[in-house]
Amino acid sequence: MDDQHSGIMGQKSAICRILDANLDRAREGLRIIEEWCRFGLNSAQMAGECKEMRQELARWHSSEIRIFRDTSGDPGTGLTHPQEERRSSIQQLLQANLCRVQEALRVLEEYGKLYDAQMGIAFKQMRYRVYTLESHLLGYQRHQLLERSHLYLITSLSDQWFAKVEAALQGGLTLVQYREKQADDGDRLADAQKLCQLCHHYGALFIMNDRVDLALAVEADGVHIGQQDVPISLARQLLGSQRIIGCSTTNPDELHRAIAEGADYIGVGPVYETPTKPSKPAAGLDYVKYAKEHATIPWFAIGGIDPNNLNYVLDAGAQRVAVVRGIMEAEQPTLVTQYFLSQLKREHTLRSLEAGVSKP
């Protein structure tokens, strides 16, 4: 009888230690996410959601569970992994802690059923709340970074193209589109996966050109579609609201239609004739001026823009530009990227000051 009682108590002790460790883990992970929602994103709604879940976890973290804690006797305290020792970006930090919270909640859900039937139900519901938070958080992150991005690099494959993209990322680039029309799907998939990982390592957005299926396959941040590609509505249905959809436009009608259909940003051009779009006549600076007055979402002037003509494009009203050859064919992509960014930042600052002065 004593042995049976001892066994039951030993089992209860182990269960409570598991619950204690995972309640701590979930609360800590949520606090890390909450701090970024509060200070990094200035989102009271998402910070409040994190705080509410932390408080619910605290209510379950009773003294009866805590009393079984045995930190010195826990063999797991010394276990670690090299990936835990560094974080290369905010995105990686958030993803790691979201996974940490989700795993802890799954453990709490299962072991909680042995402790209190209501605990299993509560943590199952919370796990789905965290999945929703993850979706909203990553979508919010993407759209905020899009809003802050003023330079957009579109790739063209050539010698050392991957190294040139990385050099631009080292110069501060935060938005990259993989564009390759000729390669087969296997090569495109491999290149896109590699480039997506590189962009996320530097905290930049990765956009897939044309192909919604490949964007989903490599977990891209979004897709860019042309006038002859799948409709924006279908792309949105497949990608969801948290990913970015961009659309090329060449005239006012296409601009207004893309905005009405729900694009997150548009390309405006080609401003100058470019071999990238040999069949498209230049839309010119007049279209840039039109976009300045009528576009209600982020827009990027595109087409033949380089350091020599950038100021003409800025004078026409652009604050964001997309570049292909200007960076991909540059001998020093990092320096050229920094030049573009400095000019765009200066223009954005001047426009912001002018807007402030013009307010009544």
Side-chain angles (χ1 to χ4, degrees):
M1 190 69 178
D2 288 343
D3 288 345
Q4 184 180 6
H5 177 73
S6 177
I8 292 172
M9 289 304 296
Q11 187 180 77
K12 181 177 181 180
S13 172
I15 291 170
C16 286
R17 289 173 66 195
I18 291 169
L19 295 176
D20 176 59
N22 283 278
L23 283 163
D24 275 339
R25 189 174 295 123
R27 292 172 69 183
E28 290 164 359
L30 279 170
R31 187 56 186 253
I32 291 168
I33 297 163
E34 179 184 334
E35 296 299 272
W36 183 250
C37 292
R38 179 182 173 189
F39 296 107
L41 302 179
N42 297 313
S43 172
Q45 181 179 355
M46 285 191 287
E49 175 73 355
C50 290
K51 184 175 182 178
E52 187 177 311
M53 286 191 283
R54 279 197 305 107
Q55 290 173 339
E56 185 174 343
L57 286 162
R59 286 193 291 270
W60 283 104
H61 209 170
S62 65
S63 57
E64 183 183 37
I65 290 174
R66 291 172 182 271
I67 202 170
F68 287 95
R69 182 178 298 180
D70 181 14
T71 304
S72 61
D74 182 356
T77 56
L79 298 178
T80 187
H81 189 279
Q83 290 183 350
E84 296 179 348
E85 296 174 1
R86 63 185 300 272
R87 300 282 186 246
S88 61
S89 66
I90 286 293
Q91 186 175 31
Q92 188 186 70
L93 180 148
L94 293 172
Q95 194 66 66
N97 280 280
L98 285 162
C99 289
R100 183 186 191 190
V101 173
Q102 291 159 5
E103 290 168 359
L105 289 173
R106 183 62 176 174
V107 173
L108 289 167
E109 177 187 340
E110 291 301 318
Y111 283 93
K113 295 171 185 176
L114 300 173
Y115 183 81
D116 182 328
Q118 293 303 310
M119 182 179 277
I121 294 170
F123 290 128
K124 180 178 181 178
Q125 293 172 344
M126 188 179 293
R127 187 159 50 85
Y128 288 115
R129 286 171 68 184
V130 173
Y131 292 149
T132 301
L133 174 67
E134 177 179 21
S135 178
H136 289 166
L137 176 60
L138 296 180
Y140 194 91
Q141 282 265 114
R142 288 180 180 124
H143 287 84
Q144 273 219 333
L145 186 52
L146 172 65
E147 189 70 33
R148 295 197 303 268
S149 297
H150 291 264
L151 178 62
Y152 190 175
L153 174 61
I154 300 171
T155 66
S156 62
L157 298 195
S158 58
D159 290 341
Q160 303 296 313
W161 72 272
F162 189 81
K164 288 187 175 183
V165 174
E166 183 165 20
L169 290 165
Q170 290 170 343
L173 181 72
T174 55
L175 181 57
V176 176
Q177 179 189 139
Y178 172 66
R179 183 178 186 273
E180 170 50 44
K181 300 286 190 180
Q182 305 303 322
D184 61 38
D185 281 358
D187 289 339
R188 268 192 278 197
L189 179 61
D191 285 343
Q193 285 175 326
K194 185 178 177 183
L195 192 53
C196 184
Q197 291 172 359
L198 180 72
C199 289
H200 289 170
H201 174 76
Y202 283 94
L205 295 170
F206 174 75
I207 305 295
M208 187 77 197
N209 179 262
D210 291 350
R211 298 287 297 275
V212 176
D213 56 340
L214 295 184
L216 287 167
V218 303
E219 297 186 355
D221 296 295
V223 69
H224 184 91
I225 54 181
Q227 293 295 316
Q228 307 305 315
D229 296 322
V230 298
I232 292 173
S233 59
L234 178 57
R236 181 66 70 199
Q237 182 180 345
L238 295 171
L239 290 172
S241 62
Q242 309 308 322
R243 285 190 167 87
I244 293 168
I245 297 176
C247 184
S248 297
T249 71
T250 62
N251 59 59
D253 287 343
E254 291 176 355
L255 178 150
H256 290 294
R257 185 165 60 248
I259 294 172
E261 291 177 358
D264 295 301
Y265 75 86
I266 53 172
V268 169
V271 180
Y272 301 105
E273 290 186 4
T274 170
T276 306
K277 298 281 188 180
S279 61
K280 294 283 182 70
L285 294 172
D286 285 341
Y287 184 37
V288 174
K289 294 174 182 176
Y290 184 90
K292 177 181 180 292
E293 297 299 325
H294 297 90
T296 56
I297 60 175
W299 58 277
F300 295 82
I302 182 172
I305 299 171
D306 59 35
N308 296 318
N309 58 33
L310 175 62
N311 285 331
Y312 296 115
V313 181
L314 298 182
D315 289 343
Q319 293 188 54
R320 297 179 176 89
V321 299
V323 177
V324 185
R325 291 174 300 141
I327 292 176
M328 295 302 296
E329 295 182 6
E331 292 185 5
Q332 296 181 300
T334 301
L335 292 178
V336 173
T337 298
Q338 290 171 336
Y339 172 77
F340 272 113
L341 288 171
S342 67
Q343 296 299 103
L344 289 162
K345 182 178 179 180
R346 178 181 61 83
E347 188 67 21
H348 178 70
T349 301
L350 288 173
R351 297 280 177 81
S352 297
L353 290 172
E354 289 172 1
V357 170
S358 65
K359 288 181 181 179

